[in-house]
Amino acid sequence: MTQLLTLCAALGTLALAIPQLISANAQSHNLEQQQITERLSKATEQLANHDILEVRLGGIYSLERIARDSEADQPTVVNLLATFVRETTKRGGPGARDSGTVPADVQAALTTLGKRRPLPTDPAIDLSFANLGFANLNGADLTNANLNGADLTNANLDGANLTGAGLTVAGLYGASLTNADLGAASLTGANLNGADLTGANLTNASLTNASLAAADLNGADLTNANLHGAKLPYANLGGANLNGANLTGVWGLPPP
């Protein structure tokens, strides 16, 4: 009987404590969300600072930490960083720059975007019309990215994942991958219609089911590339190296 009374008393105490525990957890969660919101707001302000590079870099690194700490906020971070890169390097616009160097803040934003852990809720990265010449995107995950009309001349995309990406003509501009390094990159299902791949390195790249209609592959190195099921009508393959390439099921391959 005594044990029963003791058990009942303990259960009663627990029942009284549960609402307090729930309330404490809710308060802790609300505080955490408030802190994340404040960090996000501050980082956005830093990113918008046009005068001091170090301030913008601080904002980018803060956004990287926020995406790591809060999965729910990663899509917002992806959009903020992609918009920053796009507007800062806008091809043909006031933000355009001379090729040869990549601004430190732009490269930091690209690195953060490329090495994030993609979530199902992440938006497709929109870098359309961006001037990304000479950018380092080695091993970057750009699955389904919108790179239509972007300039990736001499960019390092070695081992990058561009599965399903759009790299085609948009408006006045075609995507430029002239002399880009795409060695071992995944371009499975990518849209490269009209893209300029002159002199590009595509050794060991996967172009399975990619669309390359009217693409310029003059002088491109496609050694051991996998072009299974790729579409190549009207593509320019003059001087392209196709040694060891898998051309099974390729449609529209011009005659030798």
Side-chain angles (χ1 to χ4, degrees), residues 162-165 185-192 202 204-212 222 224-232 245-251:
L162 290 152
T163 301
S186 175
L187 290 150
T188 300
N191 184 351
L192 290 146
L202 288 153
N204 298 301
S206 175
L207 290 150
T208 304
N209 297 321
S211 184
L212 292 140
L222 289 146
N224 297 324
N226 186 0
L227 289 149
H228 178 77
K231 303 173 185 64
L232 290 162
N246 180 4
L247 301 176
T248 307
V250 171
W251 182 75

Side-chain angles (χ1 to χ4, degrees), residues 32-96:
E32 182 180 335
Q33 288 302 113
Q34 181 181 347
Q35 291 172 341
I36 290 288
T37 300
E38 291 173 354
R39 289 168 59 192
L40 191 58
S41 177
K42 182 179 179 181
T44 303
E45 290 178 6
Q46 290 176 298
L47 197 62
N49 187 299
H50 299 294
D51 301 317
I52 306 173
L53 171 63
E54 290 75 14
V55 173
R56 294 194 299 277
L57 286 172
I60 292 165
Y61 297 137
S62 292
L63 288 171
E64 181 180 3
R65 288 191 293 271
I66 290 168
R68 189 167 57 243
D69 294 342
S70 174
E71 285 191 354
D73 291 290
Q74 181 165 295
T76 299
V77 170
V78 169
N79 269 330
L80 282 170
L81 291 176
T83 300
F84 169 75
V85 172
R86 204 169 57 245
E87 294 303 313
T88 301
T89 68
K90 188 178 295 184
R91 190 174 177 185

Side-chain angles (χ1 to χ4, degrees), residues 102-121:
V102 182
D105 49 356
V106 171
Q107 184 58 64
L110 289 171
T111 300
T112 298
L113 286 169
K115 73 179 185 181
R116 82 203 186 289
R117 182 179 298 174
L119 300 170
T121 54

Side-chain angles (χ1 to χ4, degrees), residues 111-254:
T111 300
T112 298
L113 286 169
K115 73 179 185 181
R116 82 203 186 289
R117 182 179 298 174
L119 300 170
T121 54
D122 280 358
I125 295 174
D126 185 0
L127 296 172
S128 56
F129 300 104
N131 185 347
L132 304 176
F134 294 90
N136 183 7
L137 289 159
N138 182 15
D141 192 329
L142 295 168
T143 304
N144 296 322
N146 179 1
L147 290 157
N148 295 323
D151 187 347
L152 288 150
T153 301
N154 290 301
N156 179 4
L157 289 150
D158 185 63
N161 187 354
L162 290 152
T163 301
L167 291 142
T168 188
V169 177
L172 297 175
Y173 299 102
S176 176
L177 290 148
T178 303
N179 297 321
D181 184 359
L182 289 150
S186 175
L187 290 150
T188 300
N191 184 351
L192 290 146
N193 292 336
D196 186 352
L197 289 148
T198 305
N201 174 26
L202 288 153
T203 58
N204 298 301
S206 175
L207 290 150
T208 304
N209 297 321
S211 184
L212 292 140
D216 191 347
L217 289 150
N218 183 38
D221 189 352
L222 289 146
T223 302
N224 297 324
N226 186 0
L227 289 149
H228 178 77
K231 303 173 185 64
L232 290 162
Y234 308 109
N236 177 12
L237 288 163
N241 184 354
L242 291 162
N243 290 333
N246 180 4
L247 301 176
T248 307
V250 171
W251 182 75
L253 188 67

